[in-house]
Amino acid sequence: MTIDNYNFKGKKAFVRVDFNVPVDENFVITDDTRIRAAMPTLKHIVENGGRLIMASHMGRPKKNPDPKYSLKCILPRVSELLGVEVKFAEDCNQADEICASLKDGEAVLLENLRFYAEEEGKPRGLAEDASDEEKAAAKKAIKAAQKEFAKHLASYADCYVNDAFGTAHRAHASTAVMASSFDKDNKMFGFLMEKEVKAVEKVMANPARPFTAIMGGSKVSTKIEIIENLLTKVDNLIIVGAMTYTFIKAQGGMIGDSLHEDDKMDLSLELLKKAEKNGVKMYLPVDNVIADKFDNNAHRQTTEIHNVPNGWIGMDIAEMSERVFADVIKSSKTVLWNGPAGVFEMENFAHGSKALAQAVADATQLGAYSLVGGGDSVACINKFGLADKVSYVSTGGGALLEAIEGKVLPGIAAIND
Ligand code: AMP
């Protein structure tokens, strides 16, 4: 079932959205991107006579209710964008009446799902010195309660729509568990989720070749599974960011005081061997911009990547690397980019990330399919104003990374089941 061919007329539709937007200390939304991203799905439902029930989490509340994390502050913005006066259910678990009272084209927003520990299905308030048995019992109890909670949420509606890709990697009540209460003809992805799923499939399932992945960021340890999975898929793998220095040190290079992980050096050599065995061309930077302290105004110089003196830190890739990488990227037909090339938050060390972003945009112009995703890469591509010059910018940080790792995401599996 797809959202396009479902008949919403007269139907109560439970839509799991991601309205986890940043708000300031006065509860003013500072970035409404996520609310706007869900609008195509929400508008489609109300415009087709559906009765819309929106549910989301916000932040990481630890109690119920927790006014700091109330979704009430976003209600005016949701109403404005949707063009419908949205009702508010003060308690997501006691919204039977308000949901039942909806008429065609009307909408309600439920209060933060995470006010209930059942949403995440993780025990709360367990004593620190709890025994293993107590922990196991609490876990079992909350899992059972989660099923009931999910069933209750499902009882509000006739159909279930998941449009929250950002939480698709979590097996929460509203993102996965409740889907089992609906038959396959009454559950579907929203438009945003559909786009994300297709983008990941396009890159990971059957990519046009050559396929180049660019992996950056701070640590090898957080990206091991991704790199390992990519080594079975890509033609070229470009490594940038601080994780470079673990590889370089492992190869015997001098990395000065650059960020690195001593306990991941063996692993990095194994990854290089694996790349060779799989016929994947692995590219490490050849030069870098170094600084005498971790500061935008530090003294700077450019050196070869394996020649960083003591007292200096590798902060960004330099010109030669930019050129080599740009050539590889621009001759690719599929490009995946995750993680900045350097400390892009500091103006003086953003050049490499900008050059990569530009190369990904150029490759797209030349006909490649490009997917950019995972926290900082999205911030990067936005910072350089190139978001609309790539094929797709993913909205899901952790979810996208797990999909690239090759994991089955519970939120996707629950619909496809
Ligand atoms: P991650 O969260 O692992 O994707 O890493 C992103 C972070 O890595 C960004 O905040 C960058 O500033 C940081 N980063 C990138 N290159 C370096 C580097 N050479 N040294 C220290 N941090 C870096």
Side-chain angles (χ1 to χ4, degrees):
M1 183 51 64
T2 70
I3 183 162
D4 262 329
N5 56 26
Y6 190 82
N7 181 7
F8 285 98
K9 177 86 183 134
K11 296 273 176 58
K12 281 174 281 164
F14 186 106
V15 188
R16 177 49 159 105
V17 283
D18 181 1
F19 282 169
N20 182 27
V21 292
V23 295
D24 67 15
E25 62 282 5
N26 297 316
F27 298 98
V28 175
I29 300 168
T30 52
D31 179 356
D32 68 355
T33 308
R34 286 179 172 155
I35 302 179
R36 281 187 286 107
M39 279 303 145
T41 294
L42 304 176
K43 281 191 173 161
H44 177 82
I45 293 171
V46 291
E47 282 165 10
N48 285 284
R51 306 170 179 198
L52 179 62
I53 302 162
M54 292 170 276
S56 175
H57 74 282
M58 185 185 237
R60 294 171 188 267
K62 290 280 169 271
K63 58 180 185 189
N64 182 16
D66 190 341
K68 206 171 126 199
Y69 297 108
S70 173
L71 278 167
K72 203 165 191 170
C73 63
I74 72 162
L75 198 61
R77 187 72 183 127
V78 177
S79 296
E80 185 187 340
L81 288 170
L82 191 61
V84 170
E85 200 57 47
V86 178
K87 300 175 184 190
F88 189 66
E90 306 270 352
D91 184 333
C92 67
N93 201 24
Q94 292 188 28
D96 307 64
E97 265 177 44
I98 201 165
C99 292
S101 73
L102 288 177
K103 300 197 181 68
D104 293 3
E106 288 188 346
V108 62
L109 172 66
L110 307 188
E111 180 56 289
N112 195 341
L113 294 160
R114 287 196 190 164
F115 281 2
Y116 284 84
E118 286 86 341
E119 165 63 359
E120 293 177 275
K122 277 195 232 140
R124 270 185 201 163
L126 208 62
E128 270 188 27
D129 57 354
S131 67
D132 286 350
E133 276 146 28
E134 283 168 329
K135 280 184 196 156
K139 230 180 182 175
K140 202 170 156 199
I142 192 73
K143 284 288 170 205
Q146 184 185 48
K147 276 195 186 144
E148 290 311 308
F149 179 72
K151 260 193 212 150
H152 188 208
L153 294 178
S155 74
Y156 298 157
D158 304 303
C159 65
Y160 169 74
V161 181
N162 190 347
D163 212 16
F165 184 69
T167 46
H169 56 317
R170 307 279 183 222
H172 292 170
S174 68
T175 60
V177 184
M178 69 181 285
S180 64
S181 296
F182 298 88
D183 61 40
K184 66 175 180 17
D185 293 332
N186 286 303
K187 56 183 166 189
M188 64 213 92
F189 297 129
F191 289 123
L192 176 64
M193 185 95 162
E194 218 169 57
K195 270 198 288 185
E196 297 275 356
V197 171
K198 281 196 181 137
V200 171
E201 268 173 12
K202 193 153 176 133
V203 169
M204 300 305 286
N206 199 9
R209 296 193 179 271
F211 174 14
T212 298
I214 310 150
M215 294 302 298
S218 54
K219 291 180 173 175
V220 185
S221 53
T222 56
K223 309 256 163 109
I224 298 168
E225 278 94 359
I226 299 177
I227 296 177
E228 288 197 323
N229 194 36
L230 286 174
L231 286 177
T232 66
K233 309 256 180 209
V234 301
D235 301 290
N236 306 303
L237 180 60
I238 296 174
I239 300 282
V240 288
M243 71 168 114
T244 304
Y245 298 100
T246 303
F247 285 88
I248 299 297
K249 187 170 178 189
Q251 289 176 324
M254 279 170 45
I255 62 162
D257 296 346
S258 306
L259 190 66
H260 68 286
E261 293 168 289
D262 280 326
D263 61 339
K264 293 290 173 285
M265 291 206 301
D266 288 346
L267 177 87
S268 64
L269 293 178
E270 272 167 37
L271 291 172
L272 288 168
K273 263 195 219 142
K274 203 168 190 177
E276 203 179 330
K277 190 169 146 245
N278 292 2
V280 173
K281 194 122 194 349
M282 197 136 157
Y283 292 86
L284 290 166
V286 288
D287 56 356
N288 62 359
V289 179
I290 62 174
D292 60 354
K293 57 182 174 191
F294 195 76
D295 188 317
N296 188 44
N297 299 316
H299 293 109
R300 278 174 284 152
Q301 55 170 312
T302 298
T303 68
E304 290 170 327
I305 196 82
H306 55 266
N307 246 332
V308 181
N310 285 337
W312 290 76
I313 309 164
M315 299 284 273
D316 193 12
I317 58 171
E319 210 177 308
M320 187 101 78
S321 309
E322 286 176 9
R323 249 185 286 137
V324 174
F325 296 163
D327 283 347
V328 176
I329 295 165
K330 283 195 270 186
S331 60
S332 304
K333 285 281 168 276
T334 305
V335 182
L336 169 69
W337 180 25
N338 168 261
V343 187
F344 77 104
E345 298 92 335
M346 298 182 193
E347 223 42 61
N348 287 330
F349 306 103
H351 197 274
S353 299
K354 187 172 183 182
L356 285 189
Q358 188 59 54
V360 177
D362 291 346
T364 315
Q365 178 87 36
L366 291 167
Y369 182 84
S370 55
L371 170 60
V372 178
D376 280 322
S377 335
V378 178
C380 250
I381 203 93
N382 285 332
K383 180 179 165 120
F384 306 128
L386 292 167
D388 60 350
K389 298 279 188 291
V390 299
S391 309
Y392 194 68
V393 179
S394 175
T395 59
L400 179 77
L401 297 187
E402 289 200 13
I404 302 172
E405 278 173 26
K407 288 190 184 150
V408 176
L409 306 188
I412 294 177
I415 299 274
N416 284 342
D417 208 351

